[in-house]
Amino acid sequence: MNDAEKNIAEKFNVSTLIWDGKALKLIDQRKLPFEETYVICRSPEDVFEAIRNMVVRGAPAIGVTAAYGVALAALQGKNMADISGFKSYLLSKIELIASSRPTAVNLFWALERMKKIIEGKNNYTNSLSSDVLTEKIVAQAEEIEKEDVKINKAIGDSIFRIYEKSIEKYNILTHCNAGALATAGYGTALGVIRSLHSAGMVKNVIVDETRPYLQGARLTAWELHRERIPFFIITDNMSAFFISQGHVDMAIVGADRIAANGDTANKIGTLAVSVLCKNYSIPFYVAAPVSTIDLNTENGTSIPIENRPDDEVRKIMGNDVIPPYMPVKNPSFDVTPNEHISAIITEKGAIVPPFSENIKNIF
Ligand code: MRU
């Protein structure tokens, strides 16, 4: 990337979430790409609604937002004189936020980290004032946000352990949005694409539109456009055509939860892309932080799959495409079996098969 390009990338950096010490400002992802507006969360209830209603989405972004939800709860309740009452109140808010969405494990991972701060080793936090505990909680949420950006950049670097920097340029297909909008910044799958682009190695990004919520067409394309990374959008049913015609060199997607054996839950439609890649012998990569790996989930069959409202299928951007009496189904995620995955690209490097063995070794 030359200096002018670097300036553009800097200028168009996406602010998914902005914490000012009192409130959390979230870019309203439901309105993109047509409107850049923000929703302000001042309470854990606001955060719960924002996650449930998709103001913010994407596994790592949900985790960071949830952590700030606990920080907001602490700021609201810190006048409680009784520390054990304060702690129970905070734990009840954690439970509320945990019920917002079921599939992305980063939500539970971030809340678990917040819980550890609240409980403290051997319950030492019982001797703290609510004020001091609040400071620790806010600091932890800020730390989770900072770490996420660092981790995503490291995930981006890990791609060069598979593809050495060269003059080769690749056509890369991606599904859903695993970009800056889905994280605290930079992105996971889109972070890898950003890193490859900085090295001059991207010919074109092929963006699946990702029905029903259109995260690809609305969000990924918006990010790529802002950074002037070459791309074009296709409807989901066109990927077989482009792959079969030799127009795709690799596919890279994010993840909502990776089981201990490598089976990976990601946005509905990811499984279809993985099947195509396997059929046409094209590398299929999952890019995700280690926090998306859930060692407590043995394999993909036990990953909870969220069913979202029927209207997301009945309508496109609020406009009816079928009459309301027609039955529909709307599972929001599917599971790609580990044998379809060429490598899981993490901040600690690329994990290759056999995943059951190699995932364990990364911890
Ligand atoms: O329903 P969403 O938009 O939250 O689903 C998002 C995805 O499936 C992403 O691919 C995944 O969370 C990875 S984001 C870095």
Side-chain angles (χ1 to χ4, degrees), residues 11 30 40 42 48 53 55 85 94 97 128 132-133 151 202 264 342:
K11 183 167 162 212
R30 300 167 302 183
I40 297 179
R42 299 183 198 282
F48 166 79
N53 298 330
V55 171
I94 286 183
I97 298 169
L128 300 179
V132 171
L133 183 54
I151 286 170
V202 174
T264 295
S342 311

Side-chain angles (χ1 to χ4, degrees), residues 32-49:
L32 289 172
F34 297 110
E35 272 177 53
E36 273 177 54
T37 52
Y38 285 82
V39 167
I40 297 179
C41 299
R42 299 183 198 282
S43 68
E45 287 74 17
D46 289 349
V47 160
F48 166 79
E49 291 295 338

Side-chain angles (χ1 to χ4, degrees), residues 116-130:
K116 278 202 181 121
I117 296 294
I118 294 163
E119 282 163 351
K121 246 194 197 146
N122 303 322
N123 264 325
Y124 90 96
T125 48
N126 284 344
S127 61
L128 300 179
S129 69
S130 302

